[in-house]
Amino acid sequence: MTRFVQSEMHPQRWGSPDAASDLPASARGLIEMAFGLDERPASPAVSVPAPRIAEGLLEGLRELVGDEHVVTDDEVRRLRTRGKSTPDLLRARAGDLDDAPDVVVRPDCHEQVAAVLAFAVEHHLAVVPFGGGTSVTGGLVAQREGFAAVVSLDLVRMKRLLAVDQVSMTAVLEPGLRGPEAESLLAEAGLTLGHYPQSFEYATIGGFAATRSSGQSSAGYGRFDALVVGLRVATPRGELVLGSAPANAAGPDLRQLVLGSEGAFGVITSVTVRVRRRPAESLYEGWHWPSFDAGADAMRTLAQTGLLPTVLRLSDEAETAINLARPDEIGGESAGGCLMIVGYEGEPAANAAKRAAVTAVLEGLGGRCLGEEPGRAWAHGRFHAPYLRDSLLDVGVLVETLETATFWSNRERLYTDVKTALESALGEGTLVLCHVSHVYETGCSLYFTVAAKESADPLPQWQAAKAAASDAMVAAGATITHHHAVGTDHRPWLTQEIGELGASILRAVKADLDPTGILNPGVLVP
């Protein structure tokens, strides 16, 4: 059983320092050979600017949520500054926390959220909804210009399981629940949500909805937006309650307008989700494929024949060679080829039947089962990769991830074009790894991990590489993001994906729901 750390994340690193570990010796050897080791001193504690908000405004906020829930001390504001992308961490490690909010406000319920928004409209305060702080696309970087102050609307107090319907198999969750907290509450009723993104330990229900998150078990449980059946949202114009039935033909589905809106249209105050019975058995196994193409074709076959297991992911040759799917063994000996992880969660009899059917297909296509040991290793380290990034940044290696999705017929082109763009932008010696992270009947997601020798000025170094990769995605006809959301980082490419008319629709929705533009200004909307 994975032990989840329920603590605040470090302002200059991912997660809790207590859960971090040193690079394995094999990994250090690999990094030294590829990039050299440039040990960096520990980043000093960074001060934040003094709060730039009038005392009268603080008093008004205290009247709404209580004195103790309006916080201006440096430590709390430091922990609510930006997200956890590599650019976010590079800035923090360099001593730049200038984007710190002026005040952290912690409402307890929908009504308090609505009251804070009304107050913010009246006094022109920018409001940034904050859940777990795991954004990796600049989704928590508020545009300060033109506002009297920046408020971090911290939803940490809103973490209740409001209702469970055992007949319809739905549950109503508040937005501040972290992944493990939500699963723990549901487990008391014998249920599970089954949503396990890499950010699971820290990300929240509200964040999952606001970013269209997709978890590692999406093949079996579905993306988070597919799990949502209802939403309650506070907007500057009033309350929005959506989801009166499992399906309807009552015009366009407005739930889809809120899902992925990143706090720019409103603040999600509760989410009604589809739940499942807790699995009696979970087992994961590894499969060997001679090539990335062969493994991807096998995934497509499973998806198109209705035989998807609960977990299905495939590492390319480079990712397999360094054992990235097995974080404790990075740099160790690899069997070569490509590693596929296949997982089954459910009742033993159902698992056995699905496993037999999947095995027959995979063996028939040339796959070789490696047994459960590789699957157990993956499951043990499935949430550890972000800690590895910190360890690599500590020795002068620039590391970041990016993802996209496309149709099966375009997969090979997209894979080649993005990889080439990154290698060209970052230069000789760049390491680009990839895995298929999510699959559908019609296509798949590609998730890239990039490592290069850090330059003297790593922020523009990565920004140039990110731009090159994003240009390649758009040119290949793929999406700019499959599950990381738009934020500020992807916004320059959004219009190219949805068209100028699509961008104007988003602007019109923003203008109607948030006419004074207080909600997460600068995020999402082109």
Side-chain angles (χ1 to χ4, degrees), residues 7-61:
S7 62
E8 293 278 10
M9 287 204 287
H10 191 282
Q12 296 162 314
R13 309 177 74 85
W14 175 268
S16 167
D18 295 337
S21 58
D22 295 332
L23 281 173
S26 56
R28 287 185 66 87
L30 175 66
I31 297 303
E32 185 170 17
M33 181 174 63
F35 307 112
L37 293 175
D38 183 8
E39 301 278 0
R40 304 297 172 89
S43 301
V46 182
S47 61
V48 295
R52 290 164 279 188
I53 182 169
E55 182 60 31
L57 296 176
L58 293 176
E59 282 300 319
L61 290 168

Side-chain angles (χ1 to χ4, degrees), residues 306-327:
L307 283 176
L308 284 176
T310 309
V311 173
L312 186 64
R313 59 169 280 156
L314 173 72
S315 296
D316 72 356
E317 290 86 350
E319 187 170 290
T320 300
I322 70 164
N323 286 318
L324 190 62
R326 306 172 64 154

Side-chain angles (χ1 to χ4, degrees), residues 187-207:
E188 295 175 8
L191 304 172
T192 182
L193 185 57
H195 187 69
Y196 297 101
Q198 196 170 75
S199 60
F200 172 75
E201 295 172 287
Y202 292 94
T204 61
I205 294 297

Side-chain angles (χ1 to χ4, degrees), residues 38 40 90 392-393 396-399 452-458 461:
D38 183 8
R40 304 297 172 89
L90 289 172
L392 293 172
L393 290 173
V397 179
L398 180 68
V399 183
K453 177 67 177 176
E454 194 176 288
S455 72
D457 196 354
Q461 179 190 12

Side-chain angles (χ1 to χ4, degrees), residues 81-450:
T81 303
R82 306 194 191 107
K84 294 298 178 184
S85 69
T86 291
D88 289 337
L89 295 181
L90 289 172
R91 289 187 177 102
R93 285 169 173 239
D96 173 11
L97 291 180
D98 289 347
D99 292 325
D102 298 302
V103 60
V104 176
V105 177
R106 292 170 168 161
D108 180 57
C109 60
H110 173 92
E111 289 73 22
Q112 287 190 0
V113 171
V116 171
L117 294 187
F119 185 87
V121 169
E122 180 181 358
H123 299 283
H124 207 51
L125 307 175
V127 177
V128 182
F130 189 97
T134 61
S135 170
V136 292
T137 59
L140 298 174
V141 181
Q143 177 182 300
R144 176 178 290 275
E145 293 77 13
F147 293 95
V150 174
V151 175
S152 174
L153 191 70
D154 189 352
L155 302 174
V156 67
R157 296 173 65 208
M158 298 178 66
K159 49 174 60 188
R160 290 170 283 250
L161 172 60
L162 298 176
V164 173
D165 183 342
Q166 292 271 9
V167 176
S168 303
M169 293 296 286
T170 63
V172 184
L173 302 167
E174 286 193 318
L177 283 164
R178 289 183 181 180
E181 293 170 335
E183 285 293 342
S184 178
L185 289 173
L186 290 170
E188 295 175 8
L191 304 172
T192 182
L193 185 57
H195 187 69
Y196 297 101
Q198 196 170 75
S199 60
F200 172 75
E201 295 172 287
Y202 292 94
T204 61
I205 294 297
F208 293 154
T211 60
R212 290 188 182 272
S213 173
S214 193
Q216 296 167 347
S217 302
S218 65
Y221 292 99
R223 291 166 53 99
F224 192 80
D225 50 8
L227 305 180
V228 174
V229 297
L231 294 157
R232 189 182 189 191
V233 187
T235 83
R237 288 280 311 282
E239 178 184 27
L240 194 59
V241 179
L242 302 168
S244 59
N248 66 71
D253 189 347
L254 295 181
R255 291 173 297 187
Q256 299 302 320
L257 194 63
V258 175
L259 294 168
S261 62
E262 303 182 48
F265 298 159
V267 180
I268 296 168
T269 57
S270 71
V271 185
T272 303
V273 291
R274 182 189 76 210
V275 292
R276 307 280 179 86
R277 301 293 176 200
R278 286 191 71 77
E281 175 187 73
S282 297
L283 56 93
Y284 311 95
E285 61 189 15
W287 282 78
H288 175 273
W289 294 92
S291 69
F292 195 44
D293 288 345
D297 285 344
M299 299 176 100
R300 176 175 58 83
T301 299
L302 291 177
Q304 293 176 348
T305 54
L307 283 176
L308 284 176
T310 309
V311 173
L312 186 64
R313 59 169 280 156
L314 173 72
S315 296
D316 72 356
E317 290 86 350
E319 187 170 290
T320 300
I322 70 164
N323 286 318
L324 190 62
R326 306 172 64 154
D328 293 341
E329 301 175 28
I330 288 177
E333 187 174 344
S334 166
C338 292
L339 174 65
M340 176 186 286
I341 299 296
V342 183
Y344 306 90
E345 299 177 10
E347 294 299 316
N351 279 351
K354 176 63 74 69
R355 190 179 189 183
V358 170
T359 296
V361 170
L362 298 184
E363 287 182 341
L365 293 171
R368 175 167 55 88
C369 186
L370 302 174
E372 294 185 27
E373 191 279 328
R376 286 193 296 267
W378 168 81
H380 175 73
R382 65 194 296 189
F383 306 120
H384 294 177
Y387 290 101
L388 175 63
R389 175 183 58 173
D390 287 325
S391 298
L392 293 172
L393 290 173
D394 290 343
V395 295
V397 179
L398 180 68
V399 183
E400 183 58 299
T401 61
L402 62 164
E403 41 73 52
T404 180
T406 193
F407 297 105
W408 287 114
S409 58
N410 195 44
R411 178 197 58 79
E412 187 173 354
R413 175 195 171 185
L414 178 63
Y415 171 76
T416 300
D417 288 0
V418 173
K419 190 172 182 177
T420 299
L422 289 166
E423 291 171 341
S424 298
L426 291 169
E428 185 178 354
T430 299
L431 185 63
V432 181
L433 319 175
C434 183
H435 65 264
V436 176
S437 58
H438 307 276
V439 296
Y440 308 92
E441 288 187 43
T442 54
C444 65
S445 170
L446 297 179
Y447 190 102
F448 294 88
T449 301
V450 190

